[in-house]
Amino acid sequence: MTQLFEVPAKVLAFQPTVDFDAGLISRLSKSGPRYTSYPTADRFSDSFGYRDYLHAVADRRTRGNARPLSLYLHIPFCDTVCYYCACNKIVTKKREKAATYLAYLKREVAMQGGLFAGMNDIEQLHFGGGTPTYLSDAQMGELMDHLRRCFRFAPDNVGEYSIEVDPRTVSAERVHSLRAQGFNRISLGVQDFDAEVQKAVNRIQPEAETRAIIAAARDAGFRSVSIDLIYGLPKQSPATMAATLEKVVAADPDRIAVYHYAHLPHLFKPQRRILDEDMPDSDAKLQMLQLCIERLGAAGYVYIGMDHFAKPEDDLAIAQRQGRLHRNFQGYSTHADTDLVSCGVSAIGAVGATYSQNVKTLDAYYDALDRNELPVARGARLNMDDVLRRTVIQKLMCQFELSISAIEQAFPVVFRQHFAAELVQLKAMEEDGLVGVDGDWIGVSPRGRLLIRNVCMVFDRHLATRSAGPRYSKTL
């Protein structure tokens, strides 16, 4: 999303901190969106299709305000299933499936590249999945070469080119090859180092194996190494989490994401293999969260927001201090002024004031491309109120505060009139010490920052028409 107003000096000097209040969190935690977009993906409609997407790109071209692009590629394949996983994935040992998928993915990339001809400068690239490194080294090299033929990439020292890696699927040599192919940021799925936890979620991953890949990434010259953890998994306890955190801190990654496991077996079939009796209770999960915040803070990591931590010198932390932090479908990002072009099954893009999502099955994906159509299945066209609320939610999610006058300068509204009902709800949160509404500023307090999703839900107009039910994870 484009930054619509000048960042006030108060934001530039902002240093985020977080206070853990177990009683408050226990009382207020509820199901709600993660706000990687607004409106959220569950509000997308199949009335938005391929031709609507073409109109969105044409409108961007007509307005003459082309801006750099962020490119996302979804590789859905995995060798084995991790029981906790809620991603759109295909578990198979049949490598020929990846070859077929790659051929079609290259066709979609070429179509998108042609659509954005003349305004196809890439500043950000992200490979997600599934397991992107399910592709062989040769296949990955072939795909990266194809991307460069279809798009213009910013230099390595400017662009942010990242890939999610399962350490079990790569060698040190493969890590060096990924760097040579153009990736400069790497994200490693770890989840937990405890052997019993790994067994319970069907992801056996020795610490030494992960540390070797981190060392290879450093040696290969990756600018950033990230680690993903999950708390609330089966067999986890505060003691096992403390041991995992000690090992993670010793590994010294640049960024750490600590996700709350959302146990939704009615939605995600693999989660049905997790035994209820193995699940930690609410008190244990809160203790684990508190451990994460305290141990990572003591180790010098800055709390970025939601479930992300970064070293103070990391680009995420710098972007937050400078008011440039952004949030999209890959989480927090330093590239706010970009349209998001997404390729692959289920991938979600954002061009101008629209969102679009691809079909979710391989057959539907192949059928669309065989008709020479982009495989857009659904999406949304934002009205002015949507864009306004998206801006408010972005500012709160990324900076924990916003200037009312800045919003009024960017949009034709009187904030206190337009959001009169929302300000009443914020008043109750103010009494709980979550937020402060003082003159021109709305700020989220250190004790309210862990509940930022609750605060943002106040401004979500679409939640009023449908309750936040089991399709969402708990806010904490």
Side-chain angles (χ1 to χ4, degrees):
M1 180 183 67
T2 302
Q3 187 171 290
L4 298 175
F5 44 84
E6 184 177 354
V7 180
K10 181 176 180 180
V11 173
L12 297 180
F14 180 65
Q15 293 291 333
T17 58
V18 60
D19 289 343
F20 185 90
D21 187 326
L24 191 70
I25 292 169
S26 182
R27 178 163 60 87
L28 297 181
S29 181
K30 59 182 178 180
S31 297
R34 295 179 60 82
Y35 293 114
T36 52
S37 71
Y38 180 83
T40 51
D42 60 305
R43 311 295 171 174
F44 294 176
S45 168
D46 58 11
S47 64
F48 185 102
Y50 167 50
R51 285 167 180 78
D52 297 287
Y53 179 77
L54 295 181
H55 286 309
V57 179
D59 183 62
R60 173 64 74 208
R61 186 182 297 278
T62 300
R63 291 176 182 269
N65 59 344
R67 53 193 181 185
L69 301 178
S70 176
L71 182 60
Y72 173 75
L73 274 74
H74 189 78
I75 310 299
F77 302 103
C78 294
D79 268 322
T80 57
V81 63
C82 301
Y83 296 160
Y84 59 81
C85 186
C87 298
N88 187 336
K89 61 193 174 299
I90 299 166
V91 180
T92 179
K93 302 282 189 185
K94 297 178 180 178
R95 297 284 167 166
E96 62 271 17
K97 286 192 173 185
T100 302
Y101 181 77
L102 180 60
Y104 278 92
L105 181 63
K106 289 167 64 178
R107 287 169 63 177
E108 185 186 7
V109 166
M111 291 170 70
Q112 290 279 17
L115 197 58
F116 282 88
M119 51 180 191
N120 60 0
D121 295 303
I122 302 293
E123 284 192 356
Q124 187 176 46
L125 170 70
H126 186 84
F127 274 59
T131 306
T133 45
Y134 187 95
L135 297 180
S136 69
D137 187 48
Q139 287 173 326
M140 186 65 75
E142 178 186 337
L143 179 54
M144 291 297 288
D145 288 343
H146 182 70
L147 287 172
R148 290 190 179 90
R149 287 192 292 270
C150 296
F151 293 91
R152 295 190 300 265
F153 281 75
D156 181 77
N157 63 331
V158 174
E160 183 176 286
Y161 308 130
S162 62
I163 184 168
E164 298 172 9
V165 169
D166 179 345
R168 301 172 301 170
T169 68
V170 296
S171 62
E173 292 75 20
R174 179 75 192 274
V175 171
H176 279 262
S177 183
L178 290 171
R179 182 68 184 98
Q181 288 164 350
F183 295 102
N184 55 28
R185 294 183 180 275
I186 190 168
S187 177
L188 307 179
V190 173
Q191 323 319 343
D192 195 297
F193 278 125
D194 185 83
E196 289 302 309
V197 175
Q198 292 182 357
K199 183 178 178 181
V201 298
N202 196 41
R203 187 185 176 102
I204 307 301
Q205 185 174 318
E207 178 191 358
E209 189 174 64
T210 301
R211 291 291 294 268
I213 298 306
I214 293 174
R218 299 291 191 204
D219 186 54
F222 278 85
R223 290 213 309 266
S224 175
V225 177
S226 304
I227 279 181
D228 290 348
L229 302 176
I230 299 177
Y231 74 94
L233 291 172
K235 298 288 189 180
Q236 271 184 340
S237 68
T240 64
M241 179 57 71
T244 287
L245 287 169
E246 183 177 351
K247 294 172 181 177
V248 168
V249 169
D252 197 34
D254 301 284
R255 301 176 185 177
I256 301 169
V258 186
Y259 299 107
H260 175 216
Y261 169 58
H263 191 55
L264 302 169
H266 60 288
L267 295 179
F268 306 111
K269 189 175 180 180
Q271 294 185 359
R272 298 171 195 170
R273 304 185 191 185
I274 292 176
L275 302 178
D276 289 341
E277 57 267 29
D278 288 343
M279 294 295 293
D281 61 26
S282 297
D283 287 342
K285 286 190 283 188
L286 279 179
Q287 290 177 48
M288 285 187 267
L289 174 60
Q290 184 174 9
L291 269 172
C292 292
I293 292 167
E294 292 177 349
R295 296 290 174 88
L296 295 180
Y301 288 90
V302 174
Y303 177 70
I304 300 298
M306 289 284 290
D307 22 46
H308 283 64
F309 300 79
K311 290 182 176 180
E313 65 273 16
D314 184 84
D315 287 348
L316 278 185
I318 294 170
Q320 186 175 60
R321 291 197 297 271
Q322 295 178 346
R324 298 185 292 103
L325 194 64
H326 177 63
R327 187 162 172 80
N328 61 21
F329 295 102
Q330 283 77 60
Y332 286 102
S333 167
T334 60
H335 290 254
D337 295 323
T338 60
D339 284 318
L340 174 61
V341 178
S342 294
C343 299
V345 290
S346 78
I348 302 177
V351 175
T354 69
Y355 293 115
S356 57
Q357 183 171 27
N358 281 353
V359 296
K360 295 184 178 181
T361 68
L362 290 182
D363 286 344
Y365 183 70
Y366 298 158
D367 286 346
L369 290 167
D370 280 338
R371 296 193 304 270
N372 291 316
E373 294 184 357
L374 289 173
V376 176
R378 62 189 192 125
R381 186 177 296 278
L382 281 62
N383 58 32
M384 191 277 287
D385 185 68
D386 290 328
V387 176
L388 166 60
R389 291 172 185 272
R390 178 172 71 174
T391 302
V392 169
I393 289 171
Q394 277 274 340
K395 296 302 293 183
L396 291 172
M397 291 290 292
C398 295
Q399 302 301 145
F400 298 124
E401 61 181 3
L402 65 85
S403 164
I404 292 174
S405 63
I407 295 292
E408 291 177 335
Q409 290 171 21
F411 294 93
V413 298
V414 176
F415 190 96
R416 292 183 182 276
Q417 292 178 8
H418 193 87
F419 292 115
E422 288 82 356
L423 289 170
V424 171
Q425 294 182 63
L426 286 186
K427 187 66 177 176
M429 291 187 169
E430 196 169 11
E431 292 170 359
D432 278 325
L434 296 182
V435 300
V437 183
D438 181 17
D440 185 49
W441 289 89
I442 296 175
V444 182
S445 70
R447 72 197 302 249
R449 286 168 190 163
L450 286 171
L451 291 160
I452 187 61
R453 289 161 70 183
N454 296 55
V455 178
C456 291
M457 287 167 69
V458 168
F459 293 94
D460 189 338
R461 177 176 56 87
H462 298 280
L463 284 181
T465 61
R466 191 189 309 169
S467 62
R471 68 188 181 282
Y472 295 127
S473 63
K474 283 291 190 72
T475 52
L476 274 176

